[in-house]
């Protein structure tokens, strides 16, 4: 691998599927997560050890993409690919490119995660292609029933909704990373033997 190449590591997976522990693993392996990681209190019921999520990615980019497309972040439908060509996204793409430029001014190996990224991979891929960034994808999988149950307990949605959300996050994750450099990591195996994984 050319050390001058900019490399992004995008952790994908439904909430409660192990995305935080996998992202924390990337940090341990030397992948830069930036300096805008959201700090969570130890008594946070979602994830007391932290989410390892970039606040700028979550609030200034991902949330805005959903808003511009009129799609709720926790909505069940999969977003149509043509939607990502909408002209309303052009200023947001410019903002995101500037953010990427800032992140890669300090490293050639940057990673991020946010479960909402799973449904908007085409948006991010268009940026990586435009900026000639080598994209890598780490897909986290956990037993769907375990993920959905955990999500339902925390959000008070019904289990069926949790399962549908797991499915509509997983399908685009697999489809949109086809042919790209990607790795699938089992949350359950990671918990059993983290060093080996």
């Amino acid at each position: 691998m050319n050390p001058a190449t900019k490399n992004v590591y995008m952790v994908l997976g439904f909430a409660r599927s192990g995305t935080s522990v996998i992202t924390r693993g990337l940090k341990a392996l030397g992948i830069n997560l930036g300096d805008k990681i959201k700090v969570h209190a130890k008594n946070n019921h979602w994830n007391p050890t932290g989410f390892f999520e970039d606040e700028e990615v979550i609030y200034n980019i991902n949330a805005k993409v959903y808003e511009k497309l009129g799609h709720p972040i926790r909505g069940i439908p999969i977003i149509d690919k043509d939607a990502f060509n909408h002209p309303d996204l052009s200023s947001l793409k410019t903002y995101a490119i500037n953010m990427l430029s800032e992140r890669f001014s300090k490293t050639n190996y940057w990673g991020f995660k946010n479960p909402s990224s799973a449904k908007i991979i085409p948006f991010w891929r268009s940026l990586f292609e435009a900026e000639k960034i080598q994209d890598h994808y780490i897909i986290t999988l956990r037993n769907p029933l375990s993920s959905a149950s955990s999500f339902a307990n925390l959000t008070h949605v019904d289990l069926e909704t949790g399962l549908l959300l797991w499915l509509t996050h997983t399908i685009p994750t697999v489809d949109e990373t086809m042919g790209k450099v990607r790795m699938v990591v089992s949350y359950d195996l990671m918990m059993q033997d983290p060093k080996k994984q």
Side-chain angles (χ1 to χ4, degrees):
M1 182 182 297
N2 183 348
T5 301
K6 294 181 285 188
N7 294 272
V8 66
Y9 298 83
M10 192 172 180
V11 179
L12 299 165
F14 180 52
R16 314 305 298 167
S17 291
T19 55
S20 296
V21 72
I22 300 304
T23 306
R24 186 175 184 178
L26 286 183
K27 183 178 181 183
L29 292 170
I31 304 301
N32 189 306
L33 302 181
D35 56 7
K36 297 195 178 178
I37 300 300
K38 187 172 184 181
V39 176
H40 295 274
K42 289 183 179 179
N43 61 355
N44 183 283
H45 66 287
W46 269 82
N47 195 338
T49 60
F51 287 77
F52 300 91
E53 292 180 337
D54 188 307
E55 287 191 313
E56 195 167 8
V57 169
I58 300 170
Y59 302 116
N60 296 1
I61 300 176
N62 283 5
K64 301 288 186 188
V65 170
Y66 279 89
E67 183 183 312
K68 295 277 188 188
L69 296 179
H71 186 90
I73 287 182
R74 291 187 181 167
I76 290 173
I78 294 173
I79 301 171
D80 188 278
K81 287 183 187 180
D82 291 338
F84 296 101
N85 298 320
H86 200 287
D88 283 354
L89 293 178
S90 59
S91 61
L92 198 50
K93 287 182 178 181
T94 300
Y95 178 93
I97 284 172
N98 289 334
M99 184 217 67
L100 288 171
S101 178
E102 190 275 330
R103 296 297 184 276
F104 283 106
S105 69
K106 302 170 185 173
T107 182
N108 285 330
Y109 303 92
W110 176 67
F112 72 100
K113 76 94 174 174
N114 179 231
S116 66
S117 299
K119 290 186 176 184
I120 59 171
I121 298 169
F123 173 84
W124 283 104
R125 281 187 59 181
S126 70
L127 304 178
F128 302 151
E129 289 167 13
E131 295 303 294
K132 296 181 171 48
I133 298 169
Q134 179 63 54
D135 46 341
H136 310 262
Y137 301 92
I138 299 95
I139 301 169
T140 66
L141 285 182
R142 183 183 182 188
N143 180 297
L145 194 56
S146 298
S147 289
S149 296
S150 180
F151 183 79
N153 287 336
L154 287 169
T155 61
H156 308 297
V157 301
D158 56 75
L159 182 60
E160 290 79 8
T161 299
L163 285 167
L164 284 170
L165 286 168
W166 181 91
L167 188 64
T168 60
H169 279 71
T170 304
I171 289 172
T173 291
V174 173
D175 283 351
E176 295 300 330
T177 60
M178 193 77 69
K180 303 299 290 184
V181 179
R182 65 180 180 180
M183 174 185 294
V184 178
V185 181
S186 163
Y187 169 79
D188 301 297
L189 291 177
M190 176 67 87
M191 291 296 96
Q192 291 169 25
D193 191 347
K195 187 174 181 181
K196 182 178 178 181
Q197 291 304 308

